[in-house]
Amino acid sequence: EADIYQTPRYLVIGTGKKITLECSQTMGHDKMYWYQQDPGMELHLIHYSYGVNSTEKGDLSSESTVSRIRTEHFPLTLESARPSHTSQYLCASSASGDTDTQYFGPGTRLTVL
Amino acid sequence: GQNIDQPTEMTATEGAIVQINCTYQTSGFNGLFWYQQHAGEAPTFLSYNVLDGLEEKGRFSSFLSRSKGYSYLLLKELQMKDSASYLCAVVDSNYQLIWGAGTKLIIKP
């Protein structure tokens, strides 16, 4: 089973605050991903990375940033949280192949008041 | 545009068999994944199909027809723990995963 971790698991924060969601994996995977998922809805790709110093934007990236300084670490930052950011954030990783399986962390449930 | 269709919700009885369908229209095709997601938890990998046909893995089987843009997940001998959402995801021509909204499966005793 995959070893991928996210912190915090739950976060309640006020509007305008800057927050960073942490994601780490111990599998040595090159590729990492951030998804946003609302209940009963599909996953939306926010950002992804092919490896160290590589970051790419997904469908919903305009209000967040990521960095990939180390292979195992892929944090997501919201500069100014808004109620519309309330959602479940899922981090995933995969090996370097084009169709390799993505393994997910447990998720962070974010609520912005 | 790219589109993946799955039924929103299905109900089945413990011990029975259920088939969850997925149809897709994507720009290219490089494989199809099925994931299971329990409420409030992360998706977990079930299967990957890239060639036509049926692949069996224990109580779960997955079928693919590329010419019809169609896949299904077959769950046999249903157990209460199989109550979850089942997500279909297609790898498109850019090797990006396109996700369906998932099918919520409710198992009744």
Side-chain angles (χ1 to χ4, degrees), chain A residues 22-39:
Chain A
E22 302 288 348
C23 177
S24 294
Q25 50 95 5
T26 59
M27 297 165 287
H29 283 168
D30 286 326
K31 295 182 177 179
M32 296 189 74
Y33 313 81
W34 275 105
Y35 290 95
Q36 183 177 339
Q37 185 185 31
D38 293 319

Side-chain angles (χ1 to χ4, degrees), chain B residues 61-78:
Chain B
S61 302
S62 55
F63 170 84
L64 175 67
S65 170
R66 289 172 295 171
S67 62
K68 296 181 179 178
Y70 167 70
S71 172
Y72 67 74
L73 182 69
L74 190 71
L75 290 73
K76 303 177 183 177
E77 301 170 15
L78 286 170

Side-chain angles (χ1 to χ4, degrees), chain A residues 1 9 35 37 40-43 45 48 50 88 90 98-106, chain B residues 30-31 33 35 37 40-45 48 87 91 94-97 99-102:
Chain A
E1 194 57 48
R9 293 292 311 279
Y35 290 95
Q37 185 185 31
M41 303 294 289
E42 63 266 44
L43 280 73
L45 184 64
Y48 57 103
Y50 290 127
Q88 169 93 332
L90 293 165
D98 287 328
T99 58
D100 282 330
T101 301
Q102 293 187 20
Y103 295 96
F104 287 81
Chain B
N30 285 295
F33 286 90
Y35 280 79
Q37 186 176 25
E41 299 183 8
T44 56
F45 168 76
Y48 172 71
L87 312 180
V91 184
N94 294 320
Y95 294 96
Q96 297 292 336
L97 265 184
W99 294 85

Side-chain angles (χ1 to χ4, degrees), chain B residues 32-108:
Chain B
L32 185 145
F33 286 90
W34 283 98
Y35 280 79
Q36 181 190 59
Q37 186 176 25
H38 285 100
E41 299 183 8
T44 56
F45 168 76
L46 288 177
S47 66
Y48 172 71
N49 295 66
V50 66
L51 299 176
D52 289 351
L54 183 70
E55 296 212 3
E56 299 184 69
K57 191 185 295 184
R59 293 189 300 113
F60 292 9
S61 302
S62 55
F63 170 84
L64 175 67
S65 170
R66 289 172 295 171
S67 62
K68 296 181 179 178
Y70 167 70
S71 172
Y72 67 74
L73 182 69
L74 190 71
L75 290 73
K76 303 177 183 177
E77 301 170 15
L78 286 170
Q79 302 175 10
M80 296 303 293
K81 67 178 182 179
D82 297 331
S83 292
S85 289
Y86 291 86
L87 312 180
C88 173
V90 172
V91 184
D92 71 6
S93 57
N94 294 320
Y95 294 96
Q96 297 292 336
L97 265 184
I98 310 301
W99 294 85
T103 298
K104 182 178 181 181
L105 178 63
I106 300 168
I107 309 296
K108 295 186 175 180

